[in-house]
Amino acid sequence: MNGFKLWDSVLADGKKLFICSFTGTSAYLIDKNGCYISQPGKTYKQWPLSKLKRLHPNGNWLMA
């Protein structure tokens, strides 16, 4: 979506996170431990794609 793919690594709020799913114009992000990460000051876990910067495209490979 909008140039992002599942499992791309992204920079969000100064942290390296991974896209695990999409909802329209937003994405759910997880950290390297698999924990969902919310935006600072928010209770929901969706991040607008406009607030994300792709660090590394996944290329359809899941790296552990």
Side-chain angles (χ1 to χ4, degrees):
M1 297 198 82
N2 293 341
F4 293 100
K5 295 183 180 176
L6 284 178
W7 306 113
D8 281 353
S9 60
V10 295
L11 185 65
D13 193 37
K15 299 174 191 157
K16 181 180 178 181
L17 303 171
F18 302 90
I19 297 175
C20 65
S21 64
F22 293 100
T23 61
T25 59
S26 299
Y28 287 97
L29 304 180
I30 58 172
D31 63 13
K32 65 180 180 179
N33 298 317
C35 298
Y36 285 95
I37 305 298
S38 298
Q39 293 183 68
K42 306 287 184 181
T43 56
Y44 53 86
K45 299 190 177 12
Q46 298 161 323
W47 288 74
L49 296 176
S50 61
K51 291 192 175 191
L52 305 179
K53 179 182 178 186
R54 184 170 45 182
L55 295 175
H56 190 276
N58 176 283
N60 293 328
W61 288 88
L62 180 59
M63 312 270 295

